[in-house]
Amino acid sequence: MFTEVCRADDAAIARAAQLIREGALVAFPTETVYGLGADALNAAAIPAIFEAKGRPSDNPLISHIADWDALEGLISETPNETACRVMQAFWPGPLTLIFLKGKNVPDAVTAGLDTVAVRFPSHPVAQKLIRAAGTPIAAPSANRSGRPSPTTAQHVAEDMDGRIPMILDGGACGVGLESTVLDVTGERPRILRPGGITKEMLEEVIGEVDVDEGVLGMLREGAQVRSPGMKYRHYAPMGEITIVTGENASRHIAQLYDEAKGTAAILAFSDADYGTRRVYRLTDASGELFSVLRRFDEDGIAQIYAEDVPLGGMGLAVMNRLMRAAAFRVIRAE
Ligand code: TXA
Ligand code: MG
């Protein structure tokens, strides 16, 4: 299949919407990461998403809407007060909410769950595409399963060239990490995946919010998986990442680097001095993280030693992604 990469002007968006209506796949920008979209209400269109990504079919998709009325067609109950407050505060934006699923939503979208994930993105191209398609768009991140999520059209092309008919290029994504997934179906709201809307921002609007234990911890064996996406190794470059924490982290990182066999690199969030060693330094930890993970592969890095970041604000989302990329390899250096 030939994959067309198009600047996301109105004509290209109209053609993309036509493809969606015909049951085909289109990659498109959102404010978080690029999505790989299909008509969320067309059961026949959904399997191609899982095929193109190489994604296990038990990992459900987020349905994207671009006006408030579209929510009704996807869910089975009137949103509760918690849901209404966070929607009012953060939609459109990088927040995904879990609701009880309405009967229009195909099982393939929700992987057979009785809940559905819904998001109203703020990116103008995403909104125009959904409106032009006239249907909610089911979309996971547009990476091959196990690769870092794409934050540019170039990243999408690396993973999807030849697999989908069209990529809408809307430039680099602003947030650079995926949306926050918040379960509002239970008694207390619970973050299943930290992301663009922080725990602190949510708590200002709805009071205390739980963080699922799977967000940072290794899932305990046999523990119930609330968000199926959390059980897979994720965002992984081909090189091996080791996170080093603690007071002497930078000294220990330098030492590990010097002892490494093969090409090593340091992923730094602080301004620690590593001399002439090969350092990839992120000042805004969240926005560039996925690009840097991809660059490690391009640069043929075999061993990556990473600093950690404090868990406040976007730090929780950064550490959630980094822990997965590192397959939970963490060393504490006292
Ligand atoms: O920012 C984002 O959320 C991006 C853009 C494209 O919108 N999308 C995205 O989709 O990250 P994906 O498929 O890569 O991640 C969706 C996450 C997965 O961890 C999945 O398990 C979880 O949301 N999820 C989806 N439906 C769910 C449900 N009904 N209950 C619990 N978790 C759900
Ligand atoms: Mg993803």
Side-chain angles (χ1 to χ4, degrees):
M1 185 186 299
F2 179 74
T3 304
E4 202 187 346
V5 183
C6 307
R7 198 169 62 86
D9 56 21
D10 288 346
I13 292 172
R15 281 194 295 124
Q18 181 61 30
L19 285 167
I20 297 278
R21 279 195 300 271
E22 289 166 1
L25 304 184
V26 172
F28 63 98
T30 82
E31 70 277 22
T32 56
V33 301
Y34 274 73
L36 180 61
D39 180 349
L41 301 180
N42 178 358
I46 303 301
I49 291 182
F50 291 89
E51 231 166 87
K53 276 183 68 86
R55 176 171 172 128
S57 60
D58 64 348
N59 194 1
L61 309 176
I62 297 171
S63 295
H64 297 71
I65 59 174
D67 64 81
W68 294 90
D69 294 340
L71 179 62
E72 214 176 303
L74 296 172
I75 65 181
S76 70
E77 290 185 339
T78 317
N80 60 27
E81 199 188 321
T82 306
C84 289
R85 283 205 194 157
V86 289
M87 283 191 285
Q88 210 92 63
F90 302 114
W91 275 11
L95 176 69
T96 295
L97 296 175
I98 307 295
F99 296 99
L100 290 178
K101 162 189 178 305
K103 50 183 180 317
N104 291 348
V105 183
D107 281 337
V109 170
T110 61
L113 297 176
D114 57 3
T115 53
V116 60
V118 186
R119 172 159 119 77
F120 186 158
S122 63
H123 197 292
V125 172
Q127 291 188 356
K128 281 187 193 171
L129 175 65
I130 298 163
R131 288 189 190 124
T135 180
I137 294 183
S141 48
N143 51 291
R144 294 268 296 153
S145 203
R147 294 262 294 150
S149 294
T151 54
T152 65
Q154 177 59 39
H155 294 163
V156 179
E158 282 166 24
D159 283 18
M160 291 296 159
D161 190 37
R163 298 175 165 270
I164 60 175
M166 190 173 182
I167 300 169
L168 280 177
D169 185 351
C173 303
V175 179
L177 293 181
E178 302 89 340
S179 63
T180 300
V181 178
L182 184 72
D183 187 349
V184 288
T185 62
E187 221 158 89
R188 285 165 61 99
R190 174 182 291 265
I191 293 175
L192 302 183
R193 180 181 70 182
I197 300 294
T198 65
K199 178 174 188 275
E200 292 85 347
M201 290 162 78
L202 291 168
E203 289 187 329
E204 255 180 53
V205 176
I206 50 173
E208 225 174 295
V209 172
D210 291 337
V211 177
D212 198 86
E213 59 180 10
V215 163
L216 287 180
M218 207 29 143
L219 283 170
R220 273 177 313 163
E221 207 163 327
Q224 199 196 339
V225 178
R226 285 197 190 74
S227 183
M230 291 197 308
K231 74 185 173 193
Y232 303 106
R233 181 168 184 240
H234 234 154
Y235 317 115
M238 286 169 237
E240 189 179 84
I241 300 183
T242 305
I243 302 169
V244 184
T245 69
E247 240 163 79
N248 284 318
S250 47
R251 187 144 29 107
H252 197 60
I253 285 174
Q255 193 181 335
L256 288 168
Y257 178 102
D258 293 342
E259 291 164 359
K261 304 207 168 47
T263 312
I266 295 169
L267 176 57
F269 301 106
S270 74
D271 53 10
D273 182 8
Y274 290 103
T276 57
R277 297 176 184 87
R278 183 175 192 144
V279 181
Y280 295 70
R281 204 178 293 275
L282 294 180
T283 42
D284 165 23
S286 48
E288 294 292 319
L289 180 66
F290 285 143
S291 307
V292 166
L293 292 181
R294 279 178 184 260
R295 214 167 328 132
F296 287 140
D297 286 348
E298 287 160 26
D299 297 352
I301 311 288
Q303 294 292 337
I304 300 130
Y305 302 102
E307 296 178 350
D308 68 344
V309 291
L311 295 179
M314 285 298 284
L316 185 65
V318 170
M319 285 311 290
N320 170 266
R321 307 305 190 273
L322 194 56
M323 291 282 268
R324 277 161 180 71
F328 298 95
R329 243 184 324 273
V330 181
I331 296 176
R332 212 178 151 71
E334 297 301 347

